[in-house]
Amino acid sequence: MDYESIKRLGLDHYNFDLNKSYEVYDSSSNNHIIYLYLNKESSLKCPYCNEDKIFVKGTKTARIKYATAIENNISVVLHRRVYICSHCNHSFIQKNPIVTEGRNISIQKDLKILEALRDNTKTYSTIATEFNVSPTYVINLFDKKVDLKRLNMPTVLCIDEVYSKRLTKTSYCCILYSPQWKKIIDVLPSRRQDYLIEYFAHISLEEKSKIKFISMDMWESYRRLAKICLPKAIICVDSFHVIKQLNECFRKLRIKIMNQFQHLKYEQSNYYWLFKKYHRFLLTDLSKLPDRPIKVSHSGMYLYKDQIIKYMLELSPDLELAYNLKEEYRNFNSSATIDNALEWLDELIVKFKTSHITEYIPFWKLLQNWHDEIINSFNRVNGYRVSNGPMERINRDIKTIYRLSFGSTNFERIRNRIIYLSLIHI
């Protein structure tokens, strides 16, 4: 065996007898097997009596599961000499330069397993199969090596929840996230107000004062929490959730109008099927829709996207008014600044309120209730508007981890894996 082969393993070649060591490849098990022999020590003394009358009694082999940068599964068969002291008759064995005594898996393999756990699509079982170890070993290794503490509080704190019925008693985990660092600050087992207040009470006032903005959805407990525990932080509502509520109100109106034409469902009429099949056109940015003519299958007509929208809006004055109001709010959401948002929002509230569209009553009440927080959301930090938008990818990763956990109830383990996963997204 040559020097380069030992170097590839990341081992010190001075410890091994390269003339005796060799490597083979077992095609039946697709396994790389390396046989290593240790060099004989010079001036060896007995660890029990410190005498130098030492003789070789025999050899002992140990099979070690090893890994390199390019191979996950290597079997290292290590041959060590067993010595006996002629003075005190004690036996002892050569030191193992690859793993600590009592272990048969190398640190290099452990590191690769931990690196594989950064992939949220892999379960403990699939990683165990990949590295030829047991799932229990992977779980125990992760629990032992990965115990992550909460990160320090950032300038902008995003707070959101993820559904996790089997994992926690309250059905929702609370996620604290920093969009600046692109890292999860902490994962909490509850979004209940009393729990969150107690959690933030254990954080020093000096650290909490670092939080200048807190972004949230319209969960009232979050707003109360911010006012009680973070009085210096500016509360911002995530614009996505406001738009989501607006679209939901508009959807109810669209369904009500569609149902007025339900008696024409089985006739060759566009009145029902336009609302049924092309309703997404009313919610989607026109620039994202195709420019080519679209065949309306029930009538055989070919219409452009703006013609389809116009066709639907002409069927109901209420729908046309609701659509125009919706588009006006979306324009406000994308174009307003912190300087003109207040006046613009007040005008919109009046328009929604005086439209007398029943389905929009919850929305204009929402705008009134969260008025200041909506205005605050137009603040910008490092050129970016304050929102929970950066959390969406993280939330998808978290849901993937939950789904692959197969009903696990070990919250601490899943919490550590979620935070461990976020540490790579820099």
Side-chain angles (χ1 to χ4, degrees):
M1 190 172 187
D2 59 13
Y3 163 76
E4 289 298 327
S5 298
I6 293 291
K7 185 178 179 181
R8 191 175 67 247
L9 295 174
L11 300 174
D12 189 349
H13 69 282
Y14 293 109
N15 292 324
F16 303 97
D17 187 343
L18 300 183
N19 294 323
K20 286 187 176 181
S21 301
Y22 62 98
E23 53 187 321
V24 298
Y25 181 76
D26 185 0
S27 58
S28 61
S29 62
N30 194 27
N31 200 5
H32 189 193
I33 306 174
I34 299 176
Y35 294 87
L36 294 178
Y37 291 81
L38 292 176
N39 282 323
K40 187 176 181 180
E41 298 93 338
S42 60
S43 64
L44 187 65
K45 292 186 177 182
C46 176
Y48 298 96
C49 66
N50 204 32
E51 290 290 334
D52 58 0
K53 297 179 180 180
I54 307 299
F55 300 95
V56 177
K57 181 181 179 181
T59 59
K60 184 176 181 180
T61 60
R63 184 174 286 267
I64 301 166
K65 294 180 180 180
Y66 204 85
T68 64
I70 58 175
E71 290 185 82
N72 291 337
N73 297 307
I74 299 176
S75 292
V76 175
V77 180
L78 180 65
H79 293 259
R80 294 188 290 168
R81 293 176 179 83
V82 179
Y83 295 107
I84 186 169
C85 176
S86 61
H87 182 265
C88 65
N89 207 34
H90 276 99
S91 298
F92 59 97
I93 194 170
Q94 283 181 297
K95 290 183 179 179
N96 191 328
I98 301 177
V99 296
T100 56
E101 206 65 46
R103 286 180 54 86
N104 65 345
I105 300 178
S106 68
I107 294 176
Q108 290 83 349
K109 197 177 189 76
D110 285 350
L111 291 175
K112 292 203 71 174
I113 291 173
L114 292 173
E115 184 64 27
L117 284 165
R118 292 184 183 275
D119 187 345
N120 67 304
T121 63
K122 293 182 178 180
T123 65
Y124 296 107
S125 294
T126 57
I127 293 173
T129 302
E130 180 181 349
F131 288 90
N132 193 27
V133 294
S134 69
T136 302
Y137 180 83
V138 177
I139 290 172
N140 291 339
L141 174 66
F142 182 79
D143 290 345
K144 181 179 179 180
K145 299 297 183 180
V146 183
D147 184 15
L148 300 171
K149 306 301 180 184
R150 170 185 63 82
L151 300 183
N152 292 329
M153 288 296 159
T155 303
V156 180
L157 178 67
C158 296
I159 183 169
D160 202 357
E161 68 279 340
V162 175
Y163 184 71
S164 54
K165 184 176 181 180
R166 292 187 180 89
L167 189 60
T168 62
K169 296 180 180 179
T170 58
S171 297
Y172 286 91
C173 286
C174 182
I175 312 297
L176 304 181
Y177 181 78
S178 168
Q180 296 168 291
W181 302 335
K182 298 181 182 179
K183 293 179 181 178
I184 292 178
I185 304 300
D186 207 351
V187 180
L188 310 178
S190 174
R191 65 170 183 170
R192 288 171 57 96
Q193 179 181 322
D194 54 350
Y195 177 87
L196 294 175
I197 290 175
E198 183 180 358
Y199 173 84
F200 277 91
H202 289 84
I203 302 175
S204 68
L205 184 61
E206 179 183 2
E207 186 176 358
K208 287 188 289 188
S209 65
K210 295 178 182 178
I211 303 174
K212 304 302 180 185
F213 299 94
I214 178 169
S215 178
M216 62 185 68
D217 59 19
M218 289 165 287
W219 180 249
E220 184 61 38
S221 295
Y222 293 157
R223 180 161 63 175
R224 294 197 201 103
L225 163 73
K227 290 182 177 180
I228 294 171
C229 299
L230 306 170
K232 294 184 179 180
I234 297 175
I235 305 173
C236 307
V237 163
D238 179 42
S239 60
F240 167 79
H241 288 86
V242 180
I243 295 293
K244 184 179 179 181
Q245 292 297 323
L246 172 60
N247 289 341
E248 178 61 22
C249 293
F250 183 81
R251 185 188 70 85
K252 291 179 180 179
L253 176 62
R254 189 264 305 169
I255 291 175
K256 184 178 77 171
I257 294 172
M258 179 184 71
N259 289 338
Q260 294 174 4
F261 301 98
Q262 193 167 11
H263 62 285
L264 303 173
K265 182 176 180 179
Y266 299 104
E267 299 181 13
Q268 296 299 320
S269 170
N270 288 331
Y271 296 133
Y272 177 83
W273 291 105
L274 280 177
F275 287 112
K276 184 71 174 179
K277 188 172 182 180
Y278 301 105
H279 61 85
R280 66 183 181 88
F281 285 14
L282 297 173
L283 298 176
T284 307
D285 185 352
L286 290 179
S287 63
K288 298 179 180 179
L289 296 175
D291 290 328
R292 55 181 173 77
I294 300 170
K295 182 179 180 180
V296 182
S297 57
H298 282 76
S299 65
M301 297 173 60
Y302 283 87
L303 300 174
Y304 286 92
K305 58 187 178 184
D306 53 342
Q307 291 177 314
I308 292 175
I309 293 174
K310 184 179 179 181
Y311 204 113
M312 287 189 281
L313 296 182
E314 286 178 346
L315 296 176
S316 169
D318 283 349
L319 184 67
E320 183 176 12
L321 176 59
Y323 178 80
N324 291 333
L325 285 173
K326 175 183 69 67
E327 290 301 301
E328 190 172 347
Y329 186 87
R330 290 170 68 96
N331 181 43
F332 158 76
N333 182 68
S334 61
S335 305
T337 65
I338 191 64
D339 298 321
N340 62 10
L342 175 60
E343 183 180 354
W344 198 343
L345 180 61
D346 289 341
E347 291 176 0
L348 283 170
I349 292 175
V350 173
K351 289 183 179 180
F352 275 94
K353 193 172 183 179
T354 56
S355 68
H356 304 297
I357 297 175
T358 307
E359 288 75 15
Y360 273 161
I361 292 176
F363 184 70
W364 64 255
K365 286 185 176 181
L366 177 150
L367 296 182
Q368 286 185 331
N369 185 25
W370 293 89
H371 178 276
D372 294 345
E373 291 78 8
I374 293 173
I375 299 298
N376 292 339
S377 72
F378 288 93
N379 280 286
R380 290 181 175 270
V381 178
N382 297 331
Y384 294 96
R385 185 176 171 186
V386 177
S387 75
N388 279 15
M391 291 189 69
E392 294 307 313
R393 177 186 52 77
I394 289 292
N395 285 346
R396 288 196 299 271
D397 292 342
I398 291 172
K399 290 173 183 176
T400 300
I401 292 175
Y402 284 160
R403 187 174 67 253
L404 296 178
S405 65
F406 302 110
S408 171
T409 57
N410 191 321
F411 172 78
E412 285 301 322
R413 180 179 299 142
I414 294 181
R415 171 196 171 274
N416 280 326
R417 183 145 190 216
I418 290 170
I419 299 176
Y420 183 62
L421 173 68
S422 80
L423 294 179
I424 67 173
H425 298 300
I426 301 174

